[in-house]
Amino acid sequence: MPVSSDNSATVFEALRPVFSNSNLAKIGHNLKFDLSILAEQGIDVAGKCYDTMLAHALIDPEQRHNLDTLSEDFLQYTTIRFSELIPEVKKGQPIDYSSVKPQALADYAIEDADVTLQLWELFKVKLEESGQAKVFYEIETPLLPVLVAMEREGILMNEATLVETGKSLEGHIETLRDSISAAAGREFNLNSPKQLGEILFDELKLVEKPKKTKTGQYATNEQVLSSLASKHPIVANILEYRQLTKLKSTYIDALPNSIDSVSGRVHTNYGQVQTSTGRLSSNDPNLQNIPVRSAQGREIRKAFIARPGWKLLSADYSQIELRILAALTEDEGLLTAFREGRDIHAATAAKIFEVPLNEVTREQRSTAKMVNFGIPYGISAFGLAQRLGTVSRTEAQEIINNYFAQFPGIPGYMLRMQDSAKAKGYVETITGRRRYLQDINSRNGTIRAAAERNAINMPIQGTAADMIKIAMVNVQNALVAQKLNTRMLLQVHDELIFDLDPNEEAAVRTLVTEGMKQALDLKCPIEIDIGLGNNWLEAH
DNA sequence: CCCCTCACG
DNA sequence: ACGTACGTGAGGGGC
């Protein structure tokens, strides 16, 4: 019997009783995909669902998680490749199964199920052995259907706003292009870093010894250009040109192509196994890097809107990584500052510059902010000096030394993480999520230092990731339990965005705040900021 | 397909 | 002597 869209409904109906039977557990590889397809067919999957891809992402987060590789690595068995069934699949095009022999298709599908089941038997043991059973069963597994729901919901965009912004940007870009060509003395492709480098350094000779990239090209990144801004007026125009064309090509021109023709909304895909720290990623389109820092960029945020008559609600964790740092290190100074509800950067400045809180200057606060930002990344004196721009490497080292002296829990924690990583080969979050650090004992100092920074950062970034994942499950369960219309739409690492039915505002504020705060029980208090608006910019 | 650059947390 | 803060995804150039 040929498999075609004509009888797919028959097939789905035949399978429906299996999927909706809550006594049957389901085991699959990349279940988010299968669950989305079934949901599209109106089939709600009941019963326990276990995903071998999610399991492997915990067992070995930096490895690849595709079924073919896992089968070879764990079962010493080479699977039938999809390309043997269908040689040429074009990206973005629907797959044509009509020419495939049903027996070949069946063999492929059956083998897939067989391999997955065998992997599950191995992986469920490894989850226990690595102490990650709770992360798997209580965080990643319950999160999966939440992500399916969010992806399917999508978010509404005001395309007209985007087009307007695009037109105004286009005019600006044209003007900049003209003045840059005039200043360069000839036309060139200013989207090409290679050509731009030749103009700036071979022709205009802005500096004696230009910085090169690792492949030997002239570096023309923002940091390099900013340092050259005083040398020639062309540079400021190039920087602005870069900024505006980035916004136009990556967001304004591209986002409308992602509006789904059926739903009229933009549906991102969340990657649940893409990062080494436990964060989600977002792609096709990436909705986790929508501009917000520049004025022109913020215009793009205005295009993300609530459904008619509704509001967007944004809830974000305030200073989540610093609070987690305080909780993990149990540093009394840091904990006290948060418990007393201080402006954390001002409080840090008061400590490291040894001045009363009310005498902290703006510069001191801004320096302290940079330190607070860098600490969870394994800051270096060089890095701090470079980012501050106003102090020498030696002075930066003094600031760091003062910080460590005033917050002694922090250097203690850093050493503990590095020692533990060297001894055990991995670090972990509060929930037990692991990251292996192969390079932690490398003889190459640069490589080893990078691994040491990972040892410091992963437990912090990863615990924040665990926390918001738990919160998402809490919040989704509460929305369903209270039969609310409000829908969770997006996650951006420390922020959740909702399409809010205005009649439900009070209930949603409460359940979101509580769901996020109570996700993990930490020694440091957790604060949630909530905003409301007609678009993402207003809500933020 | 890699490189460079740059958008976000 | 060297490189230098953690984690991502995407667009354009160029081979």
Side-chain angles (χ1 to χ4, degrees):
Chain A
M1 182 173 74
V3 177
S4 72
S5 58
D6 297 328
N7 59 19
S8 67
T10 316
V11 173
F12 279 115
E13 285 318 308
L15 293 172
R16 183 187 290 274
V18 176
F19 289 118
S20 52
N21 184 340
S22 59
N23 293 318
L24 293 176
K26 284 80 184 174
I27 295 151
H29 194 77
N30 193 11
L31 275 176
K32 183 152 68 61
F33 180 83
D34 301 74
L35 261 44
S36 300
I37 302 276
L38 290 168
E40 192 59 36
Q41 301 300 322
I43 298 177
D44 255 342
V45 177
K48 297 188 186 319
C49 290
Y50 302 120
D51 188 336
T52 44
M53 191 170 78
L54 291 185
H56 190 258
L58 293 172
I59 291 162
D60 207 344
E62 333 255 292
Q63 285 294 314
R64 306 202 45 181
H65 311 302
N66 55 316
L67 197 60
D68 296 343
T69 311
L70 296 181
S71 177
E72 297 208 344
D73 289 354
F74 289 92
L75 308 173
Q76 291 75 49
Y77 175 79
T78 304
T79 52
I80 306 165
R81 292 296 188 268
F82 191 72
S83 55
E84 293 174 38
L85 245 54
I86 299 172
E88 277 180 45
V89 177
K90 296 205 174 78
K91 251 187 20 197
Q93 297 299 308
I95 299 166
D96 178 19
Y97 290 98
S98 58
S99 61
V100 185
K101 288 203 179 76
Q103 189 58 52
L105 205 55
D107 288 346
Y108 173 85
I110 291 164
E111 180 188 80
D112 191 288
D114 183 1
V115 164
T116 303
L117 181 58
Q118 292 188 49
L119 286 173
W120 171 244
E121 295 299 327
L122 291 175
F123 288 173
K124 68 181 178 192
V125 176
K126 288 182 180 291
L127 287 169
E128 300 287 348
E129 285 170 350
S130 68
Q132 297 187 103
K134 278 188 84 158
V135 189
F136 179 79
Y137 293 106
E138 293 176 24
I139 302 181
E140 300 299 345
T141 296
L143 180 66
L144 204 162
V146 176
L147 295 179
V148 172
M150 291 167 73
E151 290 181 358
R152 288 176 51 72
E153 189 69 29
I155 185 166
L156 190 60
M157 295 208 65
N158 186 342
E159 198 178 348
T161 308
L162 225 42
V163 170
E164 275 313 299
T165 309
K167 280 181 190 158
S168 126
L169 239 44
E170 184 57 44
H172 220 120
I173 289 168
E174 281 303 321
T175 313
L176 287 166
R177 190 181 286 131
D178 289 346
S179 69
I180 293 167
S181 307
R186 64 181 178 89
E187 296 213 340
F188 67 103
N189 185 345
L190 44 176
N191 293 329
S192 161
K194 185 167 178 286
Q195 294 185 35
L196 178 63
E198 287 160 9
I199 295 274
L200 295 180
F201 304 116
D202 288 338
E203 300 183 20
L204 298 176
K205 299 190 192 310
L206 292 193
V207 281
E208 293 280 315
K209 282 195 291 176
K211 195 167 167 278
K212 300 271 187 77
T213 68
K214 64 172 181 284
T215 52
Q217 258 192 69
Y218 294 128
T220 69
N221 61 39
E222 203 211 315
Q223 202 192 347
V224 168
L225 294 186
S226 294
S227 73
L228 264 43
S230 59
K231 308 257 184 194
H232 198 292
I234 194 176
V235 177
N237 286 334
I238 292 166
L239 280 166
E240 196 179 357
Y241 174 88
R242 280 257 177 94
Q243 198 210 342
L244 300 186
T245 51
K246 173 77 174 183
L247 297 178
K248 188 151 188 299
S249 64
T250 306
Y251 302 100
I252 293 180
D253 295 342
L255 281 171
N257 299 327
S258 296
I259 298 174
D260 185 271
S261 56
V262 177
S263 71
R265 297 165 72 91
V266 174
H267 305 264
T268 186
N269 296 302
Y270 286 104
Q272 205 177 348
V273 299
Q274 302 297 309
T275 72
S276 0
T277 59
R279 274 190 174 185
L280 296 179
S281 73
S282 158
N283 63 68
D284 284 318
N286 184 354
L287 296 186
Q288 290 183 323
N289 73 346
I290 300 303
V292 69
R293 293 173 190 169
S294 73
Q296 296 94 330
R298 285 192 284 275
E299 290 300 309
I300 294 165
R301 281 216 172 197
K302 286 189 190 165
F304 290 82
I305 56 176
R307 67 185 60 197
W310 287 27
K311 299 278 184 198
L312 286 188
L313 182 147
S314 158
D316 68 270
Y317 283 109
S318 158
Q319 302 288 356
I320 190 60
E321 293 202 357
L322 274 184
R323 289 175 196 268
I324 287 169
L325 181 70
L328 294 177
T329 61
E330 300 190 36
D331 180 273
E332 277 310 316
L334 206 49
L335 281 172
T336 303
F338 280 122
R339 284 174 182 156
E340 294 178 350
R342 300 277 178 246
D343 168 347
I344 191 63
H345 303 311
T348 305
K351 286 254 192 184
I352 59 182
F353 297 111
E354 298 179 73
V355 296
L357 193 56
N358 57 3
E359 286 176 27
V360 169
T361 67
R362 285 175 58 179
E363 286 87 346
Q364 286 172 329
R365 185 183 181 279
S366 128
T367 300
K369 186 175 177 178
M370 207 66 94
V371 175
N372 279 333
F373 187 64
I375 286 292
Y377 299 152
I379 197 171
S380 70
F382 178 95
L384 181 61
Q386 188 169 265
R387 279 167 185 78
L388 287 173
T390 49
V391 305
S392 68
R393 215 203 82 256
T394 315
E395 289 166 320
Q397 187 60 60
E398 277 174 28
I399 293 172
I400 294 170
N401 291 347
N402 276 348
Y403 180 92
F404 286 162
Q406 293 293 329
F407 299 98
I410 310 291
Y413 161 85
M414 292 175 146
L415 281 174
R416 278 205 313 282
M417 287 306 113
Q418 291 173 353
D419 289 348
S420 154
K422 283 179 212 295
K424 298 194 289 192
Y426 65 87
V427 288
E428 60 192 348
T429 67
I430 281 190
T431 68
R433 180 193 302 279
R434 282 188 191 182
R435 177 177 185 178
Y436 292 91
L437 297 168
Q438 300 294 139
D439 295 332
I440 197 74
N441 291 310
S442 169
R443 267 79 69 206
N444 179 324
T446 305
I447 291 175
R448 188 176 62 249
E452 287 167 353
R453 291 194 297 273
N454 287 333
I456 295 164
N457 179 256
M458 184 275 177
I460 302 167
Q461 188 180 120
T463 298
D466 291 338
M467 192 166 181
I468 196 165
K469 283 177 168 178
I470 296 165
M472 291 165 76
V473 173
N474 289 347
V475 167
Q476 184 76 352
N477 286 344
L479 286 172
V480 172
Q482 297 179 35
K483 298 189 164 58
L484 297 174
N485 298 316
T486 295
R487 292 286 181 263
M488 183 155 52
L489 304 183
L490 303 176
Q491 188 252 44
V492 192
H493 309 306
D494 65 354
E495 177 188 16
L496 297 174
I497 316 291
F498 299 84
D499 218 345
L500 174 76
D501 177 342
N503 301 317
E504 301 173 349
E505 182 182 336
V508 170
R509 276 182 182 269
T510 306
L511 74 86
V512 168
T513 307
E514 293 310 307
M516 291 175 79
K517 274 195 179 184
Q518 291 165 7
L520 286 174
D521 185 21
L522 299 175
K523 293 205 158 136
C524 184
I526 298 298
E527 293 294 329
I528 312 295
D529 292 329
I530 288 193
L532 229 63
N534 292 314
N535 61 59
W536 193 358
L537 183 64
E538 283 179 10
H540 195 268

